[in-house]
């Protein structure tokens, strides 16, 4: 995919809090790394990748951590301890892997040992309405907040480490859209995900948990059948631009308990409306810039 010229420095919202009037501003820096072009054949399914020589592997969470989180929902507990996220540096180079649990501990994040690769999917229907989800109450980070269609992580496995043309991230997005929203793979062809950009952000969820992610922003226009998983999703809703603006107003005013995820708010405030124009015009590829990492 051809990438557009790097964007100039912007201002990004640093959303350490989700409440009204509590957002601070930070300057946005940019850096560049190479992006692949050809779409390779995916082989090997979901076999776990052996750790590369010299790769970083942080210490596993010990028995004390397990005991301290005994009240965690069983599904979320399994995901936190079994899923292995892909550790990267700020240029998006893979440097190792770590449990989802450790990657989301604020003490690890603040120590600079938890930056990992993530993705955020923005799925539109044929009426160009954006599908939003409200995260379930059992989510460890940012429970019950409204966010884009699907937000998760590629895992440290062969099929999701493929760097060419973002195939690994696309494979992960297809997997999680089925896990969270019940959308079958046939309705979400991997090559139909359009990567538009990457951003690096950090945000606390509460005193213990948070996010520090290098987030791939994937767009698709597709009519699909939904079967949300209540362990992952509390509610779903398609929204047009005006409905989204009303949701933003409620979040800013603190009405009806509406809260938005920090990564979604960053995209909304800096990119989404311009990209929505490309969605409606069928020109999403023209908006893509996978060389720049927005910080």
């Amino acid at each position: 995919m051809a990438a557009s010229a790097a964007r100039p420095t912007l201002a990004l919202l640093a959303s350490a809090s989700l409440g009204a009037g509590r957002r601070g501003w930070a300057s946005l820096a940019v850096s560049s790394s190479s992006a692949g072009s050809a779409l390779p054949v995916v082989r090997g399914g979901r076999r776990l990748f052996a750790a590369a020589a010299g790769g970083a592997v942080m210490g596993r969470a010990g028995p004390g951590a397990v005991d301290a989180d005994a009240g965690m929902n069983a599904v979320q507990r399994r995901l936190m301890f079994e899923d292995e996220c892909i550790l990267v540096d700020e240029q998006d180079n893979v440097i190792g892997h770590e449990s989802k649990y450790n990657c989301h501990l604020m003490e690890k994040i603040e120590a600079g040992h938890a930056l990992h690769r993530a993705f955020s999917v923005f799925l539109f229907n044929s009426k160009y309405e954006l599908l939003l989800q409200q995260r379930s109450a059992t989510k460890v980070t940012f429970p019950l907040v409204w966010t884009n269609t699907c937000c998760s992580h590629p895992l440290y496995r062969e099929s999701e480490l493929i760097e060419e043309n973002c195939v690994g991230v696309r494979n992960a997005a297809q997997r999680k859209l089925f896990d969270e929203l019940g959308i079958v793979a046939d309705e979400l062809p991997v090559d139909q995900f359009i990567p538009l950009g990457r951003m690096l952000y950090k945000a606390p969820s509460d005193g213990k948990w948070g996010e520090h992610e290098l987030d791939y922003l994937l767009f698709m226009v597709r009519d699909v059948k939904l079967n949300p998983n209540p362990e992952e999703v509390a509610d779903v809703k398609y929204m047009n631009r005006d409905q989204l603006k009303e949701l933003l107003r409620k979040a800013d005013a603190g009405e009806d308990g509406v809260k938005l995820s920090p990564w979604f708010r960053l995209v909304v405030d800096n990119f989404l409306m311009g990209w929505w124009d490309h969605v409606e015009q069928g020109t999403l590829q023209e908006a893509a810039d996978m060389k720049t990492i927005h910080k």
Side-chain angles (χ1 to χ4, degrees):
M1 172 170 53
S4 62
R7 296 190 181 96
T9 299
L10 304 172
L12 266 192
L13 187 63
S15 185
S17 167
L18 303 178
R22 297 182 182 176
R23 297 187 304 277
W25 289 92
S27 108
L28 173 70
V30 298
S31 61
S32 297
S33 62
S34 61
S37 56
L39 185 68
V41 175
V42 179
R43 294 188 177 88
R46 296 180 176 178
R47 297 192 303 274
L48 290 177
F49 233 8
V57 182
M58 291 165 58
R60 301 277 82 81
V66 175
D67 293 343
D69 296 298
M72 191 183 295
N73 170 274
V75 172
Q76 299 301 326
R77 179 185 175 88
R78 175 179 58 80
L79 295 174
M80 290 294 273
F81 286 100
E82 292 183 6
D83 283 359
E84 290 283 315
C85 294
I86 302 169
L87 296 179
V88 294
D89 61 22
E90 291 194 358
Q91 289 71 49
D92 199 20
N93 299 306
V94 177
I95 59 173
H97 59 97
E98 182 51 274
S99 69
K100 183 178 176 182
Y101 183 98
N102 279 340
C103 282
H104 292 84
L105 284 172
M106 279 307 301
E107 64 179 278
K108 301 287 188 182
I109 292 171
E110 295 299 345
H113 300 311
L115 178 60
H116 55 281
R117 195 172 283 170
F119 64 83
S120 292
V121 175
F122 293 75
L123 179 63
F124 294 80
N125 62 18
S126 57
K127 296 188 289 185
Y128 307 125
E129 296 169 324
L130 174 61
L131 178 62
L132 301 187
Q133 68 155 280
Q134 184 183 33
R135 292 161 64 86
S136 76
T138 62
K139 284 283 194 180
V140 174
T141 59
F142 302 101
L144 294 176
V145 307
W146 283 92
T147 192
N148 48 285
T149 311
C150 180
C151 328
S152 190
H153 318 89
L155 300 181
Y156 197 81
R157 56 177 58 161
E158 185 176 6
S159 63
E160 297 182 12
L161 280 159
I162 301 171
E163 305 240 343
E164 287 186 81
N165 211 24
C166 307
V167 169
V169 175
R170 293 177 179 194
N171 285 336
Q174 185 188 67
R175 170 179 59 82
K176 285 303 293 184
L177 281 160
F178 176 72
D179 290 347
E180 294 190 2
L181 295 169
I183 307 172
V184 298
D186 288 346
E187 293 188 337
L188 298 168
V190 169
D191 61 359
Q192 295 300 302
F193 288 103
I194 301 177
L196 291 191
R198 293 175 292 175
M199 69 176 187
L200 192 159
Y201 77 96
K202 181 190 295 184
S205 175
D206 56 24
K208 180 174 182 177
W209 305 105
E211 296 282 4
H212 191 200
E213 298 184 329
L214 203 154
D215 196 9
Y216 283 64
L217 308 175
L218 307 178
F219 276 54
M220 182 185 286
V221 181
R222 196 94 174 173
D223 289 324
V224 298
K225 295 179 181 178
L226 301 174
N227 184 22
N229 175 2
E231 296 284 354
E232 297 279 358
V233 178
D235 198 4
V236 294
K237 185 175 178 60
Y238 280 100
M239 290 190 180
N240 59 32
R241 295 189 199 222
D242 289 339
Q243 290 168 325
L244 178 57
K245 289 175 182 177
E246 175 62 12
L247 187 73
L248 298 176
R249 187 196 65 77
K250 287 185 175 181
D252 288 343
E255 289 184 15
D256 302 333
V258 172
K259 295 182 180 180
L260 305 178
S261 73
W263 59 89
F264 180 50
R265 189 68 196 241
L266 284 170
V267 175
V268 169
D269 287 348
N270 293 278
F271 306 115
L272 182 59
M273 294 308 172
W275 287 347
W276 208 317
D277 292 339
H278 286 283
V279 169
E280 295 173 347
Q281 296 162 13
T283 57
L284 273 172
Q285 294 283 3
E286 296 179 9
D289 175 11
M290 292 306 293
K291 289 185 177 180
T292 303
I293 298 174
H294 299 277
K295 297 182 182 179

